[in-house]
Amino acid sequence: MKVLYIGYYKENSDWGRITESNILALDAAGVDVVCRSINLSQPRKISGRLAEIEQKDLSDCDFCIQHVFPDHLVGSKKFKKNVAILGNTFTEIGHTSVPEKLQQLDEVWVPNVNMARELSNLKVKARYIPFCTDTSKYKTKQKDIQIPQAVGKFKFYTMLSPDDSKALESILSAFNSEFDASELATLIIFLVSPREDSNKKVRDISEAVKASLHLQRDVSLYPREIIVGEPNLTQEQVYQIHQYGDSYLDINSGHPWSSNLIDAVGFGSKPITTKWSAPKELDDDDIAKTIDAVFKCKKSSGGHSSELELGKDYFLSPCEKQIKEHMREAYEEWLSNPVVYTQKNKSKGYQKVEEFSLKNIGATMKEKLND
């Protein structure tokens, strides 16, 4: 077996790191894999084993994996099996040309069981294979973060773009209607790719949410969230954040996979996320708290969007009642014994993420190629 893996592994992004991990996973499983890159932007320099794999000869590849956007997919009968890997954030593609593009290939691998079900309904042969991660990082002690306002408190935290106002409003609404300033709970908002006015924008949204809740006579009486805006969060800083926090809030708009969610579990932070987005392996109350959500039609106040952003697609709106309930459960468990809470989540979290290791997912991919 020799596999040609085509993807965006030179992109300096989460997408690029996921692609790199999949290539290394096949290699770890003993598969003869050779990779070739499609560059969407200025490519990053690669090294180590990935660079060695890229230098391999292309001849005699009998399997092909295309880990690219649907527009870049190419149908071919020269391989025993031609596979697409899809991890995009759209939830409804029946009205687009994507199913036709996917049908060019023998099968499609997706990291989300709900996404696999949706594609199967569109007559696309889809298999659920979660993405993988290098679990060795969870054994490494990260540099400690120092936030004086959060010392001695239970730290709910999230990482959001300042433009992700829907998720931000849900988190702020749940937190501020569940906790008051007398409790030892704090909310830390780490802004991803912030602009100069991002802190003010988030603060304005926060004050508007608090005012609309009508639970205090003045917004200054609510707990004050901590806003951290780093211009360019490095991967090491992201790991430090997960090691630091107690409960990661992964309340997104329907992403089929979240590397941050897996990293949170691996570093011992029990996340709260949607049942749609969570891998089925995390459907365990000891590992993560999952919430229901409803689909709402996408709308935009801007100009014409791409094919995938039309109003026939949806965004995911989480159940704020369940967010509040799980926040309270986590806080009360921590309050009863902070040390036990932390140690238990670190131990169980690390055991769980081993299921997403390069070795395990690589073996699964190898098995599915031969199937």
Side-chain angles (χ1 to χ4, degrees):
M1 171 189 285
K2 187 173 182 180
V3 177
L4 168 61
Y5 199 113
I6 302 169
Y8 309 126
Y9 56 86
K10 290 186 178 179
E11 292 296 306
N12 188 23
S13 64
D14 189 46
W15 186 256
R17 286 184 287 273
I18 287 172
T19 309
E20 175 182 352
S21 293
N22 268 12
I23 295 167
L24 295 176
L26 285 167
D27 183 60
V31 174
D32 185 7
V33 57
V34 54
C35 59
R36 292 295 183 266
S37 174
I38 294 178
N39 300 325
L40 301 175
S41 59
Q42 182 66 32
R44 66 185 175 97
K45 185 177 180 180
I46 61 172
S47 59
R49 184 57 182 159
L50 184 64
E52 293 174 3
I53 293 171
E54 188 182 54
Q55 292 301 313
K56 286 185 178 181
D57 184 71
L58 280 174
S59 60
D60 301 323
C61 289
D62 46 358
F63 293 87
C64 181
I65 296 176
Q66 300 181 56
H67 196 162
V68 297
F69 294 128
D71 285 346
H72 289 163
L73 291 171
V74 177
S76 174
K77 297 299 182 184
K78 66 179 291 186
F79 301 102
K80 291 180 180 178
K81 188 175 284 187
N82 192 11
V83 176
I85 294 182
L86 192 66
N88 300 63
T89 59
F90 45 80
T91 54
E92 173 57 56
I93 58 173
H95 63 286
T96 73
S97 60
V98 172
E100 184 179 353
K101 292 169 182 173
L102 296 176
Q103 287 163 1
Q104 299 178 83
L105 287 87
D106 297 308
E107 59 189 48
V108 180
W109 296 352
V110 293
N112 182 289
V113 290
N114 296 302
M115 193 176 183
R117 189 180 304 114
E118 293 289 326
L119 288 174
S120 296
N121 291 338
L122 297 172
K123 296 181 170 48
V124 174
K125 185 177 180 181
R127 292 178 182 266
Y128 166 68
I129 301 180
F131 291 143
C132 54
T133 188
D134 181 358
T135 57
S136 65
K137 60 178 174 276
Y138 306 125
K139 291 183 177 180
T140 304
K141 178 71 167 67
Q142 305 295 318
K143 181 180 177 181
D144 289 328
I145 292 177
Q146 302 295 332
I147 301 179
Q149 309 97 299
V151 173
K153 295 184 177 182
F154 184 87
K155 298 174 284 293
F156 293 105
Y157 69 103
T158 189
M159 282 181 269
L160 288 174
S161 162
D163 296 322
D164 197 351
S165 58
K166 290 184 175 66
L168 185 59
E169 287 176 7
S170 288
I171 290 170
L172 287 165
S173 297
F175 180 79
N176 285 289
S177 62
E178 183 62 32
F179 297 97
D180 61 48
S182 69
E183 297 183 275
L184 296 176
T186 190
L187 173 63
I188 308 174
I189 301 169
F190 292 94
L191 296 179
V192 179
S193 302
R195 299 182 298 274
E196 187 175 340
D197 64 340
S198 293
N199 279 38
K200 182 181 183 303
K201 180 178 181 179
V202 173
R203 193 68 70 193
D204 288 346
I205 293 173
S206 172
E207 291 188 1
V209 167
K210 292 171 182 176
S212 64
L213 289 173
H214 295 289
L215 294 173
Q216 302 287 351
R217 56 185 174 81
D218 189 272
V219 295
S220 64
L221 299 176
Y222 286 92
R224 187 172 177 84
E225 63 280 346
I226 300 167
I227 302 172
V228 180
E230 287 287 339
N232 293 291
L233 277 176
T234 65
Q235 197 59 49
E236 288 70 26
Q237 287 174 315
V238 171
Y239 297 157
Q240 292 164 17
I241 289 169
H242 288 306
Q243 177 184 267
Y244 176 72
D246 295 305
S247 179
Y248 176 55
L249 306 175
D250 189 52
I251 312 300
N252 57 44
S253 299
H255 301 298
W257 180 265
S258 168
S259 295
N260 275 327
L261 180 63
I262 304 302
D263 287 341
V265 172
F267 282 109
S269 167
K270 183 182 287 188
I272 299 173
T273 188
T274 65
K275 292 176 181 176
W276 168 269
S277 298
K280 66 178 183 179
E281 290 83 358
L282 298 190
D283 188 16
D284 180 344
D285 273 356
D286 281 340
I287 303 299
K289 296 293 186 179
T290 57
I291 59 173
D292 294 317
V294 295
F295 289 101
K296 294 186 176 181
C297 292
K298 281 188 175 179
K299 297 181 284 290
S300 173
S301 58
H304 179 70
S305 298
S306 70
E307 179 186 37
L308 297 176
E309 296 294 329
L310 295 175
K312 290 186 178 180
D313 198 10
Y314 305 96
F315 73 89
L316 209 61
S317 181
C319 176
E320 293 174 6
K321 179 176 183 291
Q322 291 178 5
I323 298 175
K324 292 174 59 173
E325 290 170 350
H326 289 322
M327 278 181 160
R328 176 57 65 180
E329 288 171 9
Y331 172 72
E332 294 295 340
E333 184 182 351
W334 171 85
L335 197 61
S336 66
N337 195 321
V339 174
V340 170
Y341 177 90
T342 300
Q343 291 178 343
K344 183 184 75 171
N345 288 330
K346 285 186 181 297
S347 174
K348 291 191 173 184
Y350 182 76
Q351 292 176 32
K352 176 55 65 174
V353 294
E354 275 296 319
E355 296 180 27
F356 303 100
S357 69
L358 302 185
K359 180 180 178 181
N360 286 336
I361 300 303
T364 299
M365 289 192 287
K366 181 179 180 180
E367 176 189 341
K368 298 305 181 186
L369 285 172
N370 282 318
D371 187 0

